[in-house]
Amino acid sequence: MEDIGFILAVYIATFGSVTALALFILRRGRRLAAQLPDEDKPWI
Amino acid sequence: MATPKTQITDSPAEYSDTKRAPLGRVRSTGTPFTRTIGIATIVSMATLAVFGLVLSPADVRQGDSVRILYIHVGTVWIAYVAFTVTAVSSAAYLWKRTRSLTWDRFAGASAEIGVLFMALTLFAGSLWGRLSWGKFWVWDARVTSTAFMFITYIGYLAVRGLGGSHQQRAKRSAVVALLAVLQIPLVHFSVKLWRGLHQDSSVADRTHVTLQGLMLFSLFVSLIAFSLLYLWLLIHRQRVLAMQDALDDKGLDYALQQRRDEGDL
């Protein structure tokens, strides 16, 4: 495959950054959910 | 979309009948619906990687660099959708009949995701440009207007971070969002308005579709995968922002109640 470095850089950056954002959101959500009563969680 | 619960038990005395009442039993932002979307997202993103990197053929003229298209188009599609959702949610907040901080949080969450996807679009475009045009950056109308839109939405997020009440934050950021969204048609049609290096749409014009077969299918997978990912991120991020706002409003009350409960034990 030609230009494999450039292509992989794009895929790794994309998949890596969205995974990092998803993990950040989940961890932050868990931390906040532990500090609040259930009535402050409108999705329940 | 559900409106936020406004009845708040902010008095510590209301928790006196249950020990540690401020700490709820639900410890995450997930629901069966979001878990289903999450699984579908993982499957579709894996499918995108397989089709984009392996199964999709190389282009006759661009060679293997066309594989960047499946990321570049997917991410810019989500950025457009995210900024449009930000504008629609902002309008819903400003309209008195639908005014709710839930709309503001959807606007903020969507803008954050949009900024990340716009950054990825610029990054992928820059590397693809190096392969196609020989340069990481050119002052082309599409490229420049996209970069300007990216900076504008960073400004939007900065405006959201200014001090004041949640209502003040919602109102001022909604106005900025409604102005910022006007750039989307400008960016999208910049290729037609000002002729430059950036190529025109490959699919949107039905009379002249330049992608076919597995390449078109891979692009379709990309749009589905990134759309599912956006939906999952938006729902979870909005819930996080709702809890953050609740904690801003009542965090001290809850902390005091916890300390009292600890003292009782």
Side-chain angles (χ1 to χ4, degrees):
Chain A
M1 192 186 288
E2 298 166 34
D3 311 314
I4 183 78
F6 281 71
I7 295 164
L8 281 182
V10 168
Y11 277 75
I12 289 168
T14 303
F15 281 69
S17 55
V18 296
T19 304
L21 177 64
L23 290 176
F24 166 77
I25 290 172
L26 280 179
R27 288 181 65 181
R28 181 115 183 94
R30 284 192 184 138
R31 210 169 62 203
L32 288 170
Q35 299 174 51
L36 287 166
D38 288 347
E39 58 258 34
D40 284 326
K41 299 159 193 165
W43 60 93
I44 297 172
Chain B
M1 289 174 208
T3 52
K5 288 182 179 178
T6 49
Q7 66 277 25
I8 299 300
T9 51
D10 55 356
S11 164
E14 291 178 44
Y15 296 115
S16 57
D17 58 340
T18 51
K19 298 287 185 202
R20 294 181 176 276
L23 296 179
R25 287 187 301 119
V26 176
R27 297 294 181 89
S28 81
T29 49
T31 56
F33 176 65
T34 58
R35 283 182 201 111
T36 307
I37 298 173
I39 291 165
T41 303
I42 291 169
V43 171
S44 57
M45 290 299 282
T47 309
L48 168 63
V50 172
F51 272 89
L53 290 172
V54 183
L55 299 180
S56 164
D59 185 58
V60 177
R61 276 184 291 183
Q62 298 198 39
D64 282 310
S65 69
V66 75
R67 298 178 194 283
I68 296 175
L69 173 133
Y70 310 122
I71 299 292
H72 187 61
V73 174
T75 51
V76 79
W77 153 253
I78 293 305
Y80 283 170
V81 169
F83 295 151
T84 305
V85 168
T86 296
V88 171
S89 303
S90 299
Y93 178 80
L94 288 178
W95 197 27
K96 281 185 182 173
R97 287 177 66 179
T98 54
R99 180 161 295 178
S100 158
L101 281 174
T102 299
W103 289 117
D104 170 64
R105 291 190 281 263
F106 268 110
S110 192
E112 288 177 6
I113 299 163
V115 164
L116 172 69
F117 277 84
M118 192 52 94
L120 290 170
T121 300
L122 288 167
F123 177 71
S126 164
L127 295 195
W128 199 8
R130 176 71 179 79
L131 296 174
S132 303
W133 307 327
K135 288 181 175 179
F136 286 107
W137 181 264
V138 288
W139 291 102
D140 169 84
R142 169 67 71 82
V143 178
T144 309
S145 57
T146 303
F148 187 75
M149 185 158 76
F150 173 63
I151 293 165
T152 304
Y153 276 91
I154 289 176
Y156 167 84
L157 294 179
V159 167
R160 289 188 68 84
L162 295 174
S165 67
H166 297 154
Q167 285 75 16
Q168 286 172 326
R169 173 197 72 194
K171 195 175 275 186
R172 67 172 172 243
S173 59
V175 173
V176 176
L178 289 176
L179 291 173
V181 77
L182 299 175
Q183 292 173 91
I184 291 180
L186 189 72
V187 170
H188 188 71
F189 293 110
S190 59
V191 180
K192 294 185 191 301
L193 291 171
W194 302 283
R195 288 186 182 278
L197 280 173
H198 199 287
Q199 71 179 65
D200 204 350
S201 170
S202 302
V203 179
D205 180 7
R206 287 183 191 172
T207 58
H208 186 64
V209 177
T210 54
L211 287 178
Q212 289 175 341
L214 267 182
M215 293 170 83
L216 187 62
F217 181 74
S218 302
L219 183 61
F220 180 71
V221 170
S222 160
L223 296 180
I224 297 286
F226 282 116
S227 298
L228 286 169
L229 174 64
Y230 166 72
L231 186 62
W232 187 93
L233 289 171
L234 177 69
I235 294 171
H236 280 275
R237 185 62 182 144
Q238 190 278 139
R239 289 173 180 172
V240 168
L241 291 177
M243 288 193 292
Q244 220 163 303
D245 283 355
L247 207 60
D248 284 348
D249 290 337
K250 298 166 291 180
L252 187 59
D253 289 340
Y254 292 152
L256 287 170
Q257 178 59 30
Q258 271 184 273
R259 295 300 294 271
R260 283 197 193 98
D261 289 342
E262 284 164 10
D264 289 346
L265 290 176

